[in-house]
Structures are given as structure tokens and as C-alpha cells.
Amino acid sequence: VRLGQIGEFGLIDRMRNAVRMKSNHVILGIGDDAAVLRSSPESDIVLTTDALVDGVHFDLNYTPLESLGWKALAVNLSDIAAMGGTPLGATVSIAVPDHWCVEDLDMLYSGLARCARAYRCPIIGGDTTRSSGGCFLSIAVAGETAAGTHVPRSGAKAGDVLCITGEMGGAKTGFEILLERTDTKRYKKSIRRFLEPIPLLKTSHKLIRQFPVSSMIDISDGLASEIKHICEQSGVGCLIEEERIPVSSEAIRWAEEKKKPLSPYIFESGEEYELLFTVPRKALERNQAFSRLVRSVSIRIIGEITSPSQGIRIRSKGETMPLEFDGWDHFSKAFS
Amino acid sequence: VRLGQIGEFGLIDRMRNAVRMKSNHVILGIGDDAAVLRSSPESDIVLTTDALVDGVHFDLNYTPLESLGWKALAVNLSDIAAMGGTPLGATVSIAVPDHWCVEDLDMLYSGLARCARAYRCPIIGGDTTRSSGGCFLSIAVAGETAAGTHVPRSGAKAGDVLCITGEMGGAKTGFEILLERTDTKRYKKSIRRFLEPIPLLKTSHKLIRQFPVSSMIDISDGLASEIKHICEQSGVGCLIEEERIPVSSEAIRWAEEKKKPLSPYIFESGEEYELLFTVPRKALERNQAFSRLVRSVSIRIIGEITSPSQGIRIRSKGETMPLEFDGWDHFSKAFS
């Protein structure tokens, strides 16, 4: 069986089955943004890992090494944010192509260090080896939450509202601009978003402090794909209101210029690293704090959670239909 | 500057300087077998990562995928053992070459799972991606120790004795037999040692429970290199008694057959994953427990820690001379 036939999520399932075992420490295992381990009565450990592979996740023709260092750590911190955790420290495994020189590595480290300091996540260890192929960068971050307070993907309930932070489409726009090497000045915001995403640790903590957030995930594969994860893992359906989803103005301009439909920029733009989360509707009604948050960190309600029998639907221009999923899968899609 | 000119340890230093930052959580950062983080008053988190790269650390021509899975986890567990920690869970990042099929991954997972169960370290997360080059496997393990009880590399003091578990030379022998594809039946033990090393978690815990172990490291780069790490990081010298170092009988036989000197099998055999540690001499005198341990887990005193001014010396056949270091460095040595 070829890998492309079962895809990335198929492989994750397969691994989960292969390594299944009992453990008293594991609160949450494979299948969320990060795993949760209990080691002490007061606090839980949150552990996550994400790899960036040359020719799959990045292309050094348009990715500055400093940005690569930043991004490799930032995407892991985003996973910690999606669990409601606080980072404690990171380890960095890097395989370096033979033809690199020390100054290349210095630039990569410099981006890593800048991100580590910005989010107070010290680099505490690593492994630097030679690569016979391209560059491979894998980071693991250990974080913590107060015991039992992590936010899983699986807690959404009918009656919750579905919310996102920020706007969609910027990352995909930035990626396409970099590929075409055009107009870089007019799309600065999108390029920056793609090259050096911001992990929303503070936003996540603010949300959790003020609301009973029932589920959360970061948008790394695309909005549609993440909505599907929350619904499947929570055993619920949902109804999305397309018009309510904020879209990046640069994405709108770019789609118009290229005469492309906007919808893929909304639903299939991976690497946005915004947060998608659910909150019971009751907790929001007449809630002053939410109104303030809506303004201060630009949070929007984009739909509601329904019973599972209703499936995952979207309402657009008055019409309601099933939402189509087309997230990023490295095994079933070629790198373009 | 080419990478080979500053070598793996030079690169580690360079990274340490680049990412230096203050943190109240970090008890021990870059430069030991694992990092130590304080998150609760009772227990510390031990975090380590180790990567295995196709064409650098392994060759799939003679490495069964099941053994590769085992080894990738085992080498990380060995780092946890060297800190005196207990594993809680592991994450696995793997980049898979396009031409692999699902059954290949299944075999790798099966070896991983076997090791995970044997040492009670559940696989709790990971990242599976496509590789445009060879296979790259990076594992991170989070473990724990009671607060403040980890064993660093830096605690050796003049007057301590230097001890090792097990015998040297088997891993290098196994590696060479596999390369030559010869005599595999007569060197089964060495081949197994090379392909599926045993992380000495139980031995480490036994040692720590019974003795005031002052420093510890696992033998992954070779005995001479690890001795150097302990001495440099502790700011001490040492005197090794070559005749006291137990050597694998298969290594002795193989060196004789190939008419090679035995010494590289003793001092430069990486990937042995035995433990090298120091204990105050006083703690051992007339200690019944130590005599029992010497028998039950084959521990040997191989030398003593001295003042730093005496350097790192070895006594062999009545002569005392400086110990030469020639550990495995992926950047300054080619893969043979």
C-alpha cells in the first residue's frame, strides 16, 4: 500500500493503533495538538512535536534561514497555545546538509533564539547531525497547565458557538506571492504571516481565564480541516456562516487580481496559526468581557455546534450545504 | 566556515551561545544527556531528544526497520537513564521517503511499540511527514525525577571512583560485522547490541537508590569521549586503569581475527549505551550493596577522579600516559 493512499491522518491512526499501551500518566495521547501527562498533583505536562522538512514544508529558495528558525519553534508553541498551556522549554533536532556552512546555522539559530525569547520558551537541548539529503528540523516543546485544565479538541457540545481569532487567507496569499516572487511590497503582511507566524499564547490564556472554552485547535492545516477535527473528535455537527468569517484584505485583493475564487483562501489556507474554539452560548450572552475581547483580539463567532446527525454544514448567500474538506496533506498532495 | 571544521560539539557550543536566555524553570540546559525543568515542588521534568538520520546513523541495507524503531526510542531512554530519570512519554517525528510503503512504516512502528512497552514509555504524539530525501527519525522523551535528584555530568569530585556497567566493544563489533555481512551467527550478541541496544533504566535507578552517584553519562559516542565529558564538565582529571575495563569476548575474538588493535573497541566504540558514573570512594568502602551490584549488574571500577591539573590519564601495562580521544563525530568523520 502506497503512503499517499492512506494519507497523513490515516498514518496517524495506524501509529496510534500500533503503539497502544496502558499508562497511568497519560491524560491525553496521540490525536490532539499536544499530549498531556500527569506527573504531579498540581500541574500537567503538555508535550508536542512538529517537524519541518526541506522540499516539503519549506523551500530555501524563498525562506530566509532566520525565518525558518522562528517558524520551526513558533508552530510548536502554537500547539501549546491550542491546549491552553504555557511553554517551559524546547529541544531542537536538526539534520544539516553537508554543503551548509556554520554561518547558515548561525542564522537559523538566531531566528530560533528570537522566537524563544519572544515567548519565553528556552531552548534546553538538541541534537545536531549531518544530513545526506536536505535539511530536517524537528522541535519538541514541553509546557504545563494547572492539573486537569488543558483544552482538548473533543469537548465541543451542541449549543456551543464556534469562534476564531484573526482573519483567514493571509498565509496562503503569502505562500503564493513567495512562489511567484512578485509584488512582495504590496503583500508584506501576508508574507510575514507565512514566514514568521505568531503563536497565540497570550490570546489562549486570556480566553481560558475568562470563558469556559470547551474545545480548541490551532489552524495549521486549514479552517475546514480543523472544523472537521473538532466535530469528529467531539462527536458533534456544526453550521458555519461563511459571511461571518473574517478574511484578510490582502487575500481578497490577491484572489481578485488572480481571478481566483476566494473560498480556498478561507477554508484551505494552512499555517494561519489562529485559534478555532468553542464556548457554550450561554457563557457569552450579555458577557461584557467577550465584547471587549471581540474588539481587542478580534474574535468572531463563525457558527454553532449542532447534533452530530446534522453533519458539518455551511450557510453561504442564504444557501445551506455540506462543508467540503480539503486540508493540506503532505502524503496525498505534491509540494507545489 | 565548513561544519566539519568545528565539529558536532563545536556546533552545540555555538547553539548554546546563540539561544542563551534567562528562565526560572530551567535547572539544567544544553550540554548534558537531557535537560531538567522545574514545574512543581515535588518533581522535575527531564527532556531529551535524539535523531537518527538515514546514511548518517543507520543504513537500511543492514538495519531491519523494526530494529530502527526500537533503537530510535532506546537511545533516548538511555539519556533519561543517564539522568536518573523515569520516562513518562515520547513523541516521534518521522520523515518518510516517497518510495516507502505503509508496511515499511508498520514494521518501524512495531519496533517502536516493542521498546515503548518494554520500558513503559508510551508514545503520546508525533508528526509524520514526507521526506524528499532519506528517512529521518527524531524522538523526544519527557521523563521525571524527584525534585533536585537528577544526576548531572558535572558532579564528579577528586576522590571519587569512576565506574562503568557492562562491557565495551560489542557495538563496534556488531557494526563492523553488519558492514562486512560476514559471520553473523558467531557474533549474534554484538549484532543485537548494535541493532537493539538496551537502555539501562533499572540499573540507573538501582545505583541511585543505593549510592550517592555524583555524575553519570551514557556511552553513546565512545568511552574516551564520555570520560572527557565528565572530566571537563566537572572540572576534574582522572586516571583510568585500562586492564580493569571489561571487554566483550566477541570484540576480542573479532579484533584478533582481523588483526586489529583492541584499544579502539574499548575506547571508541560508540552506541554501547552502558553507563559511566562516579561515586565517592568512601561510599563504597566495605559496602555490601556495592559488592552485590558488582556481581548482579556487572559494575566495575575502572579508575579514579583526580585534581584537574593531572589531566585525563590512562595506566596500561604499568605505563601512565594521556588518554587520547576519538569519539564519533558526524561532522568531522564520514560515514563508513
Side-chain angles (χ1 to χ4, degrees), chain A residues 250-262 265:
Chain A
E250 288 186 0
I252 295 171
R253 197 203 310 154
W254 176 244
E256 271 172 11
E257 272 183 33
K258 304 296 286 185
K259 300 198 171 67
K260 284 184 180 176
L262 189 59
Y265 292 84

Side-chain angles (χ1 to χ4, degrees), chain A residues 322-336:
Chain A
L323 179 63
E324 277 173 27
F325 314 107
D326 206 7
W328 182 259
D329 185 324
H330 299 292
F331 284 103
S332 53
K333 280 194 178 181
F335 183 68
S336 55

Side-chain angles (χ1 to χ4, degrees), chain B residues 289-303:
Chain B
F290 192 75
S291 315
R292 273 198 307 276
L293 268 181
V294 166
R295 283 190 302 271
S296 71
V297 291
S298 45
I299 281 163
R300 289 288 177 282
I301 297 176
I302 63 163

